[in-house]
Amino acid sequence: MLQLQLLSSPPLTPQTLNLNSISNPKLFPSFSSLNSSQTRSFKFNPLSKPSKFSLKCRQSEYFDQKQRFDDSSSSTSPSSLAGLPARFYVGHSIYKGKAALTVEPRAPEFVPLDSGAFKISREGFVLLQFAPAAGVRQYDWSRKQVFSLSVTEIGTLISLGLRESCEFFHDPFKGKSDEGKVRKVLKVEPLPDGSGHFFNLGVQNKLLNVDENVYIPITRGEFTVLKSAFSFILPYLLGWHAFANSTKPDDTSRANNANPRYGGDYEWSR
């Protein structure tokens, strides 16, 4: 709030204040717009003490509120959270009468080396989540079953023909003491009329006493969308985007000179 205070040291008298001069627009342009009734509202008492003149400006309140809103908005923006880069979570879902299918990519993992570089420790994958239907347009995600597609399995689905089928088997505890107690089988088979494929996931979990089978029909258009998304994300799951972003012409020449195994002319100079 903006306040202006005008203090007069000597008492105001009719002689010291000429109303005709106030009405003169050349001397006091701000008072020239006052009409006669507004001019008569000024009362002066020659015996009164020095008075204070206060002016309130609501426009300042607007700018104060706007500034507080801008500050609160900027403090919650993704780029201002501890200086960390913004992260995004994406996925694609297909809903049918018997079940729903959600497809989500998972990024690869890297480990630092002593040289300061990074090496991929685990390739990314695509997570499939199957949820059985619990009613009309309702799905029980508490009973969902998951299946992680590796980059090789993704390539198999991308190359799958209209009349072709494939099958993937997973044992999450393979090589461990609980090997064989959890079995997951994903079958992708063509529909009888050739309009798409069936995605059928069977899960047998002896540890939790679960034996469930979830299937969902995928049309040709829906399968085309999945294939296109798989083809786009595949290099990122391999971590090749990180290598491409870190590669510069100068770095490439130095690396080739330091290690002839990676030189472009090494194959032809043997």
Side-chain angles (χ1 to χ4, degrees):
M1 182 180 294
L2 178 63
Q3 292 186 348
L4 299 179
Q5 295 181 351
L6 179 61
L7 300 179
S8 57
S9 54
L12 296 176
T13 63
Q15 291 76 14
T16 58
L17 182 61
N18 188 355
L19 293 179
N20 294 328
S21 63
I22 294 179
S23 61
N24 189 349
K26 295 182 179 180
L27 298 178
F28 297 93
S30 61
F31 287 94
S32 62
S33 61
L34 295 175
N35 55 30
S36 59
S37 61
Q38 290 172 321
T39 306
R40 286 196 298 268
S41 63
F42 289 94
K43 295 181 180 180
F44 303 96
N45 188 354
L47 300 180
S48 63
K49 295 181 179 180
S51 59
K52 293 183 178 181
F53 179 73
S54 177
L55 175 64
K56 296 181 179 180
C57 180
R58 291 187 175 274
Q59 190 176 12
S60 63
E61 297 179 359
Y62 166 76
F63 283 107
D64 291 341
Q65 294 175 358
K66 185 176 183 301
Q67 183 65 30
R68 288 194 297 267
F69 175 78
D70 294 341
D71 294 342
S72 61
S73 300
S74 61
S75 61
T76 57
S77 61
S79 59
S80 63
L81 297 178
L84 297 177
R87 301 192 65 180
F88 301 90
Y89 299 93
V90 297
H92 179 64
S93 299
I94 300 175
Y95 301 97
K96 296 298 174 70
K98 297 292 185 180
L101 170 63
T102 297
V103 183
E104 298 178 357
R106 291 292 188 266
E109 297 178 2
F110 298 85
V111 294
L113 302 177
D114 296 337
S115 61
F118 292 87
K119 180 181 179 181
I120 188 169
S121 60
R122 181 182 180 183
E123 294 179 344
F125 58 93
V126 170
L127 182 65
L128 305 181
Q129 301 183 68
F130 295 80
V136 179
R137 296 183 179 181
Q138 295 180 356
Y139 304 91
D140 189 358
W141 291 100
S142 63
R143 295 173 51 201
K144 71 177 181 180
Q145 300 295 338
V146 299
F147 193 91
S148 300
L149 290 174
S150 66
V151 292
T152 303
E153 293 168 340
I154 293 173
T156 301
L157 289 178
I158 294 174
S159 61
L160 196 64
L162 186 61
R163 295 288 183 178
E164 296 178 338
S165 61
C166 61
E167 180 176 324
F168 307 123
F169 169 76
H170 283 187
D171 184 351
F173 298 101
K174 186 176 181 180
K176 301 179 181 179
S177 59
D178 290 332
E179 181 177 354
K181 295 183 179 181
V182 179
R183 294 169 54 89
K184 296 183 178 183
V185 179
L186 177 62
K187 296 181 180 180
V188 181
E189 301 173 333
L191 295 174
D193 58 356
S195 60
H197 285 78
F198 262 123
F199 276 59
N200 190 339
L201 176 61
V203 178
Q204 293 181 351
N205 191 331
K206 298 180 181 179
L207 300 176
L208 301 177
N209 195 20
V210 172
D211 189 355
E212 193 162 4
N213 195 289
V214 186
Y215 67 92
I216 179 173
I218 305 297
T219 65
R220 185 185 305 178
E222 292 167 340
F223 198 31
T224 301
V225 172
L226 293 179
K227 286 183 176 182
S228 179
F230 291 164
S231 299
F232 172 81
I233 202 64
L234 190 58
Y236 295 87
L237 301 179
L238 293 171
W240 285 29
H241 66 290
F243 170 77
N245 294 336
S246 64
T247 301
K248 298 179 181 179
D250 295 340
D251 297 339
T252 304
S253 62
R254 285 196 297 267
N256 292 340
N257 294 332
N259 193 343
R261 290 179 54 193
Y262 301 101
D265 299 332
Y266 177 72
E267 180 180 356
W268 310 109
S269 59
R270 285 186 300 178

